[in-house]
Amino acid sequence: AMMGSIMSKLITIISLVVILVAGVFIYQSGSDSKIMKTNTLKLTSTAFAHNGLIPEKYTCDGQNFNPPLAISGVPPATKSLALIVHDPDAPAVDGWDHWLIYNLPPTTTTLGEGEPPAGTLGLGSGGNANYEGPCPPSGTHRYFFKLYALDLELPLAIGSSKGELEAAMKGHILDQAEL
């Protein structure tokens, strides 16, 4: 009888461990689903290469047009895209935001040169709703075009700030790409 009691307790303990391990696995796979990136999203431009110089035409010294951008590899579950163009080298506290677009349709494959995008425009650091090209007061700055694939359309009004955009995207990024 003693051996049966030990075996019974052992089976109960093993069962609990199996349930616990399965529960942790299920919990982690569920919680990570929005964090795991598909790494298929790509953002490119025919105007300049990744880490290359942005031509004058797309700066305040030229026509200040937004450069042509190509989007590919959008994950199938994507409900909207967002784009942030940011200069981390600007003397402002958090750098300078040149262009904010959100709720771009997930079927978007290009943003044409100087063309208004199909998404909702946020406000850049200069209070600009449209693209504001590079215009560093001195030196050479870096400009990051960051594209996000999101699992929802953002409940943001026109003219939202970068802080509002980033807060709304939190936990909803399926993938991201940078140029």
Side-chain angles (χ1 to χ4, degrees):
M2 183 119 165
M3 190 65 161
S5 173
I6 292 172
M7 284 300 284
S8 173
K9 286 180 183 171
L10 191 58
I11 289 171
T12 302
I13 290 171
I14 290 170
S15 298
L16 287 173
V17 168
V18 167
I19 291 168
L20 184 62
V21 168
V24 167
F25 178 77
I26 290 165
Y27 171 77
Q28 283 184 338
S29 65
S31 65
D32 287 348
S33 64
K34 288 191 173 83
I35 297 163
M36 287 192 289
K37 306 286 187 282
T38 59
N39 293 318
T40 58
L41 190 64
K42 299 245 180 308
L43 181 64
T44 57
S45 179
T46 54
F48 60 95
H50 182 64
N51 290 329
L53 292 175
I54 297 173
E56 187 176 286
K57 178 180 191 176
Y58 309 108
T59 73
C60 67
D61 295 326
Q63 289 100 323
N64 215 7
F65 288 151
N66 64 276
L69 298 172
I71 298 167
S72 62
V74 175
T78 303
K79 300 282 186 270
S80 73
L81 299 168
L83 177 72
I84 298 174
V85 179
H86 181 72
D87 170 5
D89 303 318
V93 175
D94 191 26
W96 195 265
D97 301 312
H98 288 264
W99 206 20
L100 301 175
I101 310 169
Y102 38 94
N103 291 336
L104 274 165
T107 53
T108 304
T109 55
T110 59
L111 295 176
E113 176 182 282
E115 293 176 9
T120 306
L121 296 169
L123 284 187
S125 299
N128 57 297
N130 294 317
Y131 174 81
E132 180 183 75
C135 198
S138 63
T140 302
H141 289 206
R142 296 169 297 153
Y143 298 89
F144 293 89
F145 290 69
K146 294 182 180 181
L147 180 68
Y148 301 89
L150 307 172
D151 68 359
L152 81 164
E153 281 195 33
L154 298 172
L156 292 174
I158 293 170
S160 294
S161 70
K162 178 179 158 191
E164 292 167 323
L165 174 56
E166 288 177 334
M169 290 192 311
K170 193 174 173 95
H172 296 285
I173 300 170
L174 297 171
D175 202 353
Q176 64 188 73
E178 189 175 278
L179 173 61

